[in-house]
Amino acid sequence: MTRQMEALAKEALKGIDEDFGYYPGYRAAQAKGTLCHGMFTAGKEAAALTTAVHLQPGVVTPVTARFSNFTSNPMRHDGALDVRGMATAFHLGDGTQTDIVCLRMSRFLVGTAREFMAFERAIWRNPWGDLPLPGPWLFLYMLSGRLPLDLGLRQVVPLCRVASYAGSRYNSLHAFRWADASGHDRHVRYSWAPDARERKLHWWQTRRRAPDYLRAEMAARMAQAPVRFRLEVQVAEHGDDVSDASARWPKGRQRIEVGLLELTEPGAWAAAGGEDLRFEPTRVTGGIQVPEGDDLLMLRKHVYALSAKRRIGHAERDDGDGRAIPDAPVSPAPEPAPDDGDPGEGDPVARARTAHVNGIDVCYETSAAGGRPLLLIMGFACSMVWWHRDFRAMFEQRGFHVIRFDNRDSGRSTRDFRKVGKLRGMLFPRWFKRYTVDDMADDAAALLAELGIRDAHVMGVSLGGMIAQALAIRHPERVLSLTSINASPVWRNWPPSRLPTLRVLRRLMKRQPTRSEARWARSSLRLWRLLNGSHFRFDEDHVRDLLHTAWSWGGGVDADADLRQMVAVRGSDDRTPGLRHLKMPVLVIHGSEDPLIREAGGIDTLTAIVGARWIPIEGMGHYTPKKIWGIVVDGVTSLAEDAERARAGEPE
């Protein structure tokens, strides 16, 4: 039965990804929330109902509570229509933990695991938001009896906008069996009843509030006084369905208050036991038992376990072709012994670390070799694993200390997750951009500061070249020399000769097959063939290896993240005026057959910077082939030597 339920949980998790969206490094549901710490004091009434140690009169138990929004999107505005949740972990005196998991709803949507799976199959992903839409099968299932007829009403009623997590009533929905000292047992459902009054908001009242206003409101509220909830249990009587979370019990059933919860301070995962802290609806203690026959509760248990593994970086997800893909861990890897580089072509990074800079988490790696610092900035929709180990080794042999990192919305750095919309984002990028190239440059500057590097030689390709330009403009003290490869100062819509070719544009705008690694790699190879110039043979094996490594490193592909980066490029200001004031040595490299950022963009960069050096590569497209790596390394090394002589006051 356990194996069957585990398989069902994996299928359910895959359905949640398809219906609500997949967000690497986050829970499959309740991705956004806030932790609080406090104490629970048991009342006198519970002792007559159960022998559970934390419910004996006067016993005080440390508690960690997590309030959350239901959906998978961790960047969704707190003011959106949603179902709120409250999970509570009681840290018992013997070092164990027991949990209560509740939602702000009076009963669950469905009552059995079979109904839940049917419900998942009957809803569709909503392209305009995070709450899924009803599919045509939903109504057929309701008419045939496979799903409740009032399912639509059950979905809509709990949705609301609230002013605070502290004012809502949260219910466990599932029943649990309590046993007293004499061996007599009874079934109860939990409820957290707030002392504060619930205040619902209209949509226009949330527009001026910060995206994370619920978290901030809880912190401010606890700074003034403890946030109090009273734990109530509703006691079942003969004939009540105790194995169906969607069944209503009569209103006249006895309700007993069994304790008081006081939350006093915001929490953090590390303070609450690190990444091991998680909430499970079936984690009980002596005197409390899970009811028999509630297979939906068992399904939720296994889904919660898989979701928690995803958050800490050990989950697996089917790639659509039968293989399991490990999700990207959100915490830094342990310190390994120094090695000579990655074991394979762009292999997952051995010395990866995560730094919290400029308000985001940036995943980076520095080479084992010392020397003059060289910051490598990768381009559009590419993580740092695209910097091949052999290319980096060539720089290290020339005395460079190489630093590479994942830009925001790529690899294992922070994902924005806010929706842009392809049509509106491309037509009106300045209105709908989520960040700009300047913001990405500030990320790079903050990373250098975090690493204690005063200044560095900087090289960027494509979008990375644009970021490098912005870094040199906004933080000239951080840039010793600048190398811009296949980049331009601005995205120009006119004349048409400045735009990407129609074949490349059509391929870029085509929807990516993000559910299957094999299909995504095949689709991406078509694009990279288009980006290759006529003078150099397209190294398909090399690119395919990098694509598979990038998929594994990033835990899959996020098409929305790629779109946000594209809109950031289109929505950023022209850097030409700033480039005119650069004083450091600059090298501009561009392919004569670049179909994405045309050669005219490289010439614009060159003419804007006084004294810039120019290396045109005849027959090269947007892809940088192995045959020109030596030319790039020679150019960057010569530029760096001149920059260091100039800093030392020596003549060039």
Side-chain angles (χ1 to χ4, degrees):
M1 181 64 182
T2 301
R3 287 187 178 180
Q4 181 182 357
M5 193 58 69
E6 288 177 351
L8 202 63
K10 288 184 178 180
E11 184 182 347
L13 192 64
K14 186 176 180 180
I16 292 172
D17 289 343
E18 293 173 351
D19 296 333
F20 290 89
Y22 173 67
Y23 301 91
Y26 291 91
R27 304 165 188 263
Q30 289 98 26
K32 183 178 183 181
T34 184
L35 283 174
C36 304
H37 296 310
M39 306 297 287
F40 175 80
T41 305
K44 298 178 180 179
E45 294 80 2
L49 304 175
T50 178
T51 58
V53 293
H54 64 296
L55 294 173
Q56 301 310 299
V59 172
V60 179
T61 306
V63 163
T64 302
R66 183 177 188 267
F67 298 90
S68 61
N69 304 333
F70 180 77
T71 61
S72 307
N73 188 346
M75 297 298 172
R76 193 169 188 242
H77 197 289
D78 282 346
L81 280 174
D82 214 335
V83 177
R84 319 296 163 176
M86 177 181 177
T88 312
F90 297 82
H91 307 290
L92 307 181
D94 60 358
T96 60
Q97 176 182 323
T98 184
D99 301 337
I100 297 177
V101 178
C102 298
L103 292 172
R104 188 200 165 278
M105 56 196 314
S106 59
R107 56 176 176 158
F108 205 64
L109 301 177
V110 293
T112 66
R114 183 183 65 85
E115 288 182 344
F116 183 80
M117 300 306 296
F119 173 68
E120 271 198 338
R121 288 189 288 268
I123 56 179
W124 287 353
R125 177 78 183 272
N126 183 353
W128 300 283
D130 301 297
L131 296 178
L133 298 172
W137 288 104
L138 182 65
F139 305 102
L140 293 177
Y141 284 168
M142 291 167 62
L143 292 174
S144 66
R146 294 182 65 181
L147 289 174
L149 283 173
D150 63 343
L151 181 59
L153 188 62
R154 297 186 193 181
Q155 285 181 270
V156 173
V157 168
L159 297 176
C160 67
R161 301 176 178 89
V162 295
S164 173
Y165 286 129
S168 297
R169 184 184 186 93
Y170 303 93
N171 304 298
S172 68
L173 308 180
H174 297 277
F176 292 84
R177 188 165 63 189
W178 278 16
D180 60 23
S182 65
H184 179 69
D185 58 27
R186 57 189 55 77
H187 287 85
V188 302
R189 283 176 173 170
Y190 302 111
S191 292
W192 288 110
D195 274 7
R197 183 179 178 183
E198 183 174 63
R199 179 173 162 235
K200 296 181 181 179
L201 301 176
H202 297 288
W203 65 269
W204 61 82
Q205 293 175 301
T206 64
R207 296 191 66 179
R208 293 186 178 180
R209 298 189 179 222
D212 301 327
Y213 75 86
L214 288 175
R215 178 184 302 177
E217 194 278 340
M218 280 295 287
R221 185 183 289 262
M222 287 186 291
Q224 297 177 356
V227 173
R228 293 185 174 88
F229 287 87
R230 302 182 186 277
L231 181 60
E232 296 179 355
V233 293
Q234 185 182 25
V235 183
E237 294 184 8
H238 180 73
D240 293 339
D241 193 340
V242 298
S243 61
D244 185 347
S246 67
R248 291 186 184 275
W249 292 354
K251 292 184 178 180
R253 294 293 179 258
Q254 183 183 16
R255 287 187 177 272
I256 302 173
E257 183 180 316
V258 296
L260 174 66
L261 172 64
E262 293 184 303
L263 301 173
T264 55
E265 60 181 352
W269 289 108
E275 295 292 351
D276 290 329
L277 175 66
R278 61 185 187 184
F279 305 91
E280 293 184 4
T282 60
R283 184 185 280 137
V284 295
T285 188
I288 305 175
Q289 298 178 13
V290 176
E292 297 179 359
D294 192 346
D295 62 349
L296 179 60
L297 181 58
M298 293 298 103
L299 178 63
R300 289 184 68 191
K301 168 191 173 182
H302 289 288
V303 170
Y304 273 56
L306 291 173
S307 182
K309 286 181 180 179
R310 170 180 296 181
R311 176 176 57 82
I312 63 177
H314 301 295
E316 290 185 347
R317 173 166 86 102
D318 196 305
D319 76 339
D321 287 347
R323 285 179 289 176
I325 300 300
D327 280 345
V330 294
S331 58
E335 184 76 36
D339 59 15
D340 295 327
D342 297 340
E345 294 214 352
D347 217 53
V349 183
R351 289 172 296 275
R353 297 288 178 273
T354 300
H356 187 75
V357 296
N358 200 28
I360 65 170
D361 291 329
V362 172
C363 187
Y364 69 94
E365 187 222 37
T366 60
S367 63
R372 55 170 77 103
L374 172 64
L375 182 67
L376 303 180
I377 309 178
M378 188 37 75
F380 165 71
C382 294
S383 61
M384 64 176 165
V385 299
W386 283 83
W387 293 112
H388 192 274
R389 63 166 187 173
D390 293 341
F391 195 21
R392 303 194 318 273
M394 294 171 69
F395 284 110
E396 292 172 3
Q397 290 168 5
R398 298 292 186 94
F400 286 100
H401 174 66
V402 177
I403 307 132
R404 56 175 177 159
F405 68 99
D406 290 333
N407 288 315
R408 63 169 70 194
D409 261 338
S410 71
R412 298 184 181 179
S413 291
T414 292
R415 304 290 177 97
D416 189 288
F417 290 134
R418 290 177 292 175
K419 300 290 183 182
V420 174
K422 184 175 292 186
L423 183 61
R424 67 184 187 183
M426 296 303 290
L427 291 178
F428 308 105
R430 291 186 176 273
W431 294 357
F432 294 104
K433 64 181 182 291
R434 300 308 183 189
Y435 48 84
T436 65
V437 171
D438 287 349
D439 295 322
M440 301 175 84
D442 292 343
D443 298 341
L447 176 61
L448 289 175
E450 178 71 15
L451 296 178
I453 298 174
R454 185 184 66 179
D455 47 27
H457 304 283
V458 179
M459 182 178 82
V461 59
S462 186
L463 168 59
M466 301 177 188
I467 297 170
Q469 294 173 15
L471 177 62
I473 294 169
R474 296 171 64 82
H475 307 277
E477 72 285 356
R478 293 281 181 194
V479 181
L480 272 173
S481 70
L482 166 65
T483 301
S484 174
I485 303 176
N486 288 348
S488 65
V490 67
W491 178 285
R492 298 190 187 277
N493 293 321
W494 193 263
S497 59
R498 298 295 186 98
L499 290 171
T501 64
L502 289 177
R503 293 178 67 191
V504 169
L505 271 178
R506 187 164 58 246
R507 177 58 58 179
L508 285 173
M509 298 304 292
K510 188 174 182 180
R511 186 172 183 177
Q512 299 183 61
T514 58
R515 293 294 170 185
S516 166
E517 178 187 2
R519 289 194 290 271
W520 172 77
R522 287 194 295 268
S523 175
S524 298
L525 278 172
R526 297 188 187 101
L527 172 61
W528 284 103
R529 284 194 191 94
L530 291 176
L531 297 178
N532 195 63
S534 63
H535 188 71
F536 300 91
R537 183 184 67 84
F538 179 60
D539 193 342
E540 182 172 323
D541 292 337
H542 171 69
V543 175
R544 182 183 288 108
D545 287 341
L546 287 172
L547 287 169
H548 288 306
T549 301
W551 176 284
S552 177
W553 176 251
V557 174
D558 185 354
D560 290 331
D562 298 349
L563 178 61
R564 284 189 292 270
Q565 286 193 351
M566 186 181 296
V567 174
V569 171
R570 298 204 61 196
S572 295
D573 294 330
D574 188 350
R575 288 175 295 280
T576 302
L579 291 175
R580 295 193 179 106
H581 295 91
L582 295 186
K583 303 298 182 184
M584 75 285 293
V586 178
L587 171 63
V588 181
I589 302 175
H590 215 104
S592 65
E593 297 182 8
D594 190 336
L596 181 59
I597 301 176
R598 311 296 277 272
E599 187 181 23
I603 295 174
D604 287 344
T605 304
L606 175 71
T607 55
I609 305 171
V610 177
R613 306 177 189 182
W614 172 242
I615 300 181
I617 307 295
E618 187 65 31
M620 185 180 82
H622 197 68
Y623 169 66
T624 309
K626 290 182 178 180
K627 284 189 176 181
I628 74 152
W629 288 358
I631 297 175
V632 175
V633 172
D634 288 343
V636 172
T637 303
S638 174
L639 194 74
E641 291 171 349
D642 289 347
E644 288 163 4
R645 281 197 296 269
R647 184 172 64 175
E650 301 176 10
E652 296 186 9

